[in-house]
């Protein structure tokens, strides 16, 4: 997975922010990486986190690599996240209700067929961008990019 979204274009050249594909990997391997940790990594280390695989059995190696980087730069390891056994972005049979509500706020009614047509990474991005705790400025651009608006 080496995919950047158009709505991330303002920072992908420098990787000054954590791109969605790395956020996806963080949820997959169970690490809560702070932006303050990310900004301490070198450009090569950030790129390695983009390129390094993190699916199935690779998730443990990714987590170990990431925790080693955080400890090397900060002296402590990053927090841990519970790893969902059935994450919503892998479920193509139901659209999360919070996402539906956020989409409706901007005049979009998403169908199950549309949801199924998205990649797991696109679904993950929409779920993350629709959360109340997240800065939502990229939600509408993501809907456009994914041809939902």
């Amino acid at each position: 997975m080496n995919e950047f979204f158009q709505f991330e274009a303002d920072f992908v050249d420098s990787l000054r922010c954590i791109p969605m594909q790395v956020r996806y990997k963080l949820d997959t391997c169970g690490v809560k990486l702070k932006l303050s940790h990310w900004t301490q990594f070198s450009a090569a280390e950030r790129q390695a986190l983009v390129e390094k695989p993190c699916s199935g059995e690779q998730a443990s190696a990714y987590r170990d690599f990431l925790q080693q980087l955080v400890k090397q730069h900060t002296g402590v390891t990053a927090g841990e996240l519970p790893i969902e056994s059935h994450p919503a972005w892998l479920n193509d049979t139901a659209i999360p209700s919070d996402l539906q509500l956020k989409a409706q706020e901007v005049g979009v009614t998403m169908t199950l067929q549309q949801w199924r047509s998205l990649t797991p990474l696109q679904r993950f991005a929409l779920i993350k961008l629709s959360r109340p705790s997240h800065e939502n400025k990229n939600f509408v651009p993501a809907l456009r990019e994914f041809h939902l608006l």
Side-chain angles (χ1 to χ4, degrees):
M1 176 188 329
N2 230 353
E3 178 183 350
F4 294 108
F5 295 120
Q6 291 172 11
F7 65 81
E8 299 175 305
D10 63 331
F11 67 81
V12 293
D13 288 341
S14 66
L15 290 175
R16 66 176 167 77
C17 294
I18 305 170
M20 279 294 167
Q21 63 182 295
V22 173
R23 290 177 182 268
Y24 184 95
K25 293 174 183 181
L26 296 173
D27 279 32
T28 299
C29 75
V31 175
K32 182 171 180 59
L33 185 71
K34 296 178 181 178
L35 184 59
S36 62
H37 297 150
W38 177 259
T39 58
Q40 292 184 48
F41 299 157
S42 70
E45 290 166 335
R46 292 178 198 173
Q47 190 62 43
L49 290 167
V50 167
E51 294 174 2
K52 194 168 182 56
C54 182
S55 60
E57 293 177 11
Q58 302 161 325
S60 179
Y62 189 92
R63 180 181 53 250
D64 293 345
F65 176 74
L66 176 56
Q67 288 288 23
Q68 179 184 358
L69 280 179
V70 174
K71 187 162 180 123
Q72 174 186 330
H73 287 279
T74 68
V76 296
T77 57
E80 294 189 6
L81 294 171
I83 299 173
E84 296 182 45
S85 57
H86 302 290
W89 54 87
L90 294 180
N91 181 357
D92 69 356
T93 63
I95 304 168
S97 57
D98 289 347
L99 173 57
Q100 281 284 39
L101 289 172
K102 183 67 179 172
Q104 289 170 358
E105 285 177 18
V106 296
V108 173
T109 301
M110 196 179 315
T111 67
L112 191 55
Q113 182 178 357
Q114 288 172 313
W115 180 248
R116 286 182 172 147
S117 72
L118 299 173
T119 67
L121 181 58
Q122 289 171 323
R123 289 186 211 133
F124 174 84
L126 289 175
I127 290 168
K128 290 295 184 184
L129 293 171
S130 67
R131 291 194 172 154
S133 60
H134 192 279
E135 181 185 339
N136 302 108
K137 71 176 185 151
N138 285 326
F139 184 70
V140 170
L143 290 172
R144 279 193 199 101
E145 184 174 343
F146 304 157
H147 308 289
L148 300 171
L149 179 67

